[in-house]
Amino acid sequence: MLTVKDLAVNYGAIQAVKGVSFEVHRGEIVTLIGANGAGKSTLLKTISGLMRPKAGQITYLERPLDRLSAPQIVRAGISQVPEGRHIFPGLSVQENLQMGAFGQRDRAVFNETLQTVYDYFPILKKRRTQDAATLSGGEQQMLAMGRALMAHPQLMLLDEPSMGLAPIFIQEIFTIIQAINQAGTTVLLIEQNARQALKIADRGYVLASGQVKLSGSGAALLANPDVQRAYLGG
């Protein structure tokens, strides 16, 4: 579904991603793990069209993404849930969700998708008229995920969805990610909580210093002694 081949990305003079290659197959949950500064978020931003690669290729459903704009990439079927959530303060919960559906012109599809989001996140329906800035951190993360779902993506990119959340919300977020995937949305997940991410992942890649150092099934990486020492506290 998604192929990243020999991708290199610079931040100014700094090479943040150095020849990274990986694949995401339809229906999978794939996770990228690694320390801060490993290049994970840069990869997602480049896939989303927010950054441009210096070299390499990104293809989605056999279509090159490298030169498409961010709105074109959303319309092609890829939505990102950004690190830090970035909900729109001053807008209500439902207005934030409407912003996620900016490309949707079919009212029936919009209403159906909105109901699906409220089914995943009942608390958002309860708070739909509330200013999004007044939600808790966990509720804001749910809103960011719901907003991405409003674009009706085939592939969802999640950047650190558990960051800064209370443990009770972390488990709920990962359960919902699995439910979204089981309903047909492919997931590419970046997550500092490597143990939780690998538990739900079909496959994973370990990034270090802008390069892929290890790859394998989620279960195999969980059992890998090097991964345990570096990322799982074992």
Side-chain angles (χ1 to χ4, degrees):
M1 189 176 200
L2 179 77
T3 302
V4 174
K5 185 175 181 182
D6 298 326
L7 196 70
V9 187
N10 282 20
Y11 266 117
I14 299 171
Q15 191 170 11
V17 174
K18 305 170 185 175
V20 165
S21 298
F22 66 91
E23 294 181 342
V24 179
H25 303 150
R26 188 184 296 275
E28 286 188 314
I29 297 177
V30 174
T31 188
L32 308 178
I33 65 170
N36 286 334
K40 305 185 302 299
S41 292
T42 300
L43 274 171
L44 287 201
K45 289 176 183 177
T46 307
I47 294 166
S48 294
L50 303 175
M51 297 183 67
R52 293 296 178 197
K54 180 182 178 184
Q57 297 176 317
I58 305 170
T59 56
Y60 169 69
L61 299 175
E62 301 183 357
R63 178 186 183 186
L65 288 188
D66 311 24
R67 298 301 164 194
L68 296 184
S69 68
Q72 287 173 321
I73 289 170
V74 173
R75 291 188 180 98
I78 300 176
S79 289
Q80 181 168 346
V81 182
E83 180 183 353
R85 301 180 276 276
H86 294 286
I87 54 91
F88 298 107
L91 297 183
S92 70
V93 167
Q94 185 145 319
E95 287 168 340
N96 267 265
L97 295 175
Q98 289 170 333
M99 292 292 282
F102 73 91
Q104 181 56 256
R105 297 291 178 264
D106 188 319
R107 192 70 189 178
V109 173
F110 170 85
N111 288 335
E112 182 180 346
T113 307
L114 182 64
Q115 185 56 54
T116 298
V117 169
Y118 283 149
D119 288 343
Y120 282 128
F121 308 106
I123 191 64
L124 297 184
K125 185 172 185 179
K126 184 178 178 181
R127 305 196 190 286
R128 62 187 180 275
T129 61
Q130 189 171 320
D131 186 331
T134 66
L135 299 179
S136 71
E139 291 165 351
Q140 288 188 16
Q141 184 61 51
M142 292 175 184
L143 179 56
M145 291 170 65
R147 182 181 59 191
L149 284 171
M150 289 299 297
H152 223 274
Q154 296 181 64
L155 173 63
M156 179 180 281
L157 314 179
L158 288 142
D159 195 348
E160 303 286 6
S162 77
M163 180 179 286
L165 300 188
I168 188 172
F169 275 118
I170 291 174
Q171 188 55 58
E172 187 171 358
I173 289 296
F174 277 100
T175 298
I176 293 169
I177 291 170
Q178 288 178 287
I180 290 168
N181 175 250
Q182 289 163 5
T185 302
T186 304
V187 173
L188 177 58
L189 169 66
I190 285 178
E191 181 53 60
Q192 286 281 27
N193 190 332
R195 188 181 303 277
Q196 283 279 14
L198 291 171
K199 280 182 179 178
I200 69 168
D202 296 290
R203 295 185 302 110
Y205 295 84
V206 179
L207 270 66
S209 302
Q211 297 177 301
V212 173
K213 299 297 185 181
L214 285 170
S215 65
S217 69
L221 290 175
L222 267 176
N224 184 299
D226 293 333
V227 173
Q228 290 176 357
R229 281 192 297 270
Y231 305 108
L232 306 179

